[in-house]
Amino acid sequence: MDLSESIVSNKRNGNLHVTVSGRFDQKRVSEVGQHICRVYGGTGNIFIHTHEITEVAPNSRTMFSSMLGELSLPKKNIYLMGEQGKHICHEEGRVIIKQSKPSSGGCGGRCKNCKCKTREKGKA
């Protein structure tokens, strides 16, 4: 496996964070499952970060869901982070996609005591 295709993990606040890089196919599904089995302690949530996945094979969702069941991993504790997570997520899973900031770099005037409104007025 070259550096463009890797699985890296760390534990933070009792949760396991796994970052997957490269193509997500049958081989990668198996590697991710085996990796999680080795490092997951059975408590906390598992966050799978998908922002470095370059391609998702058509049958990856089905394979991923099957793999979770075969390895007895807690489906309800697995969260997929990022856009690619929508193409991988199993039936009981959840996808979290970080919302982008407004193009002006501010909050869009929605925060309490908004300083962005003042900046926007000064630009006009």
Side-chain angles (χ1 to χ4, degrees):
M1 174 177 7
D2 63 32
L3 293 177
S4 66
E5 293 189 355
S6 65
I7 301 169
V8 179
S9 64
N10 60 50
K11 290 190 176 184
R12 289 180 273 170
N13 300 324
N15 298 312
L16 176 64
H17 291 260
V18 179
T19 301
V20 182
S21 303
R23 188 171 196 272
F24 196 79
D25 55 12
Q26 184 175 0
K27 179 182 174 192
R28 183 51 45 99
V29 169
S30 178
E31 292 169 350
V32 168
Q34 295 303 318
H35 182 84
I36 292 171
C37 281
R38 278 194 307 275
V39 297
Y40 181 61
T43 59
N45 294 312
I46 301 168
F47 294 94
I48 301 175
H49 299 266
T50 66
H51 61 278
E52 293 183 12
I53 292 176
T54 56
E55 181 184 351
V56 178
N59 55 354
S60 295
R61 179 190 306 251
T62 305
M63 291 185 296
F64 185 65
S65 183
S66 295
M67 179 268 311
L68 294 176
E70 290 170 13
L71 298 174
S72 299
L73 292 171
K75 290 183 177 185
K76 291 182 179 179
N77 291 40
I78 297 176
Y79 297 82
L80 289 114
M81 309 289 291
E83 287 286 332
Q84 294 288 23
K86 293 188 291 187
H87 306 291
I88 299 167
C89 194
H90 52 287
E91 300 84 30
E92 297 173 44
R94 294 175 216 129
V95 178
I96 299 172
I97 300 173
K98 186 177 178 180
Q99 299 216 350
S100 61
K101 292 183 179 181
S103 59
S104 65
C107 69
R110 293 182 300 270
C111 62
K112 186 175 179 181
N113 301 322
C114 182
K115 295 176 183 173
C116 302
K117 287 181 189 177
T118 310
R119 265 190 287 168
E120 289 297 317
K121 288 179 184 176
K123 286 182 180 179

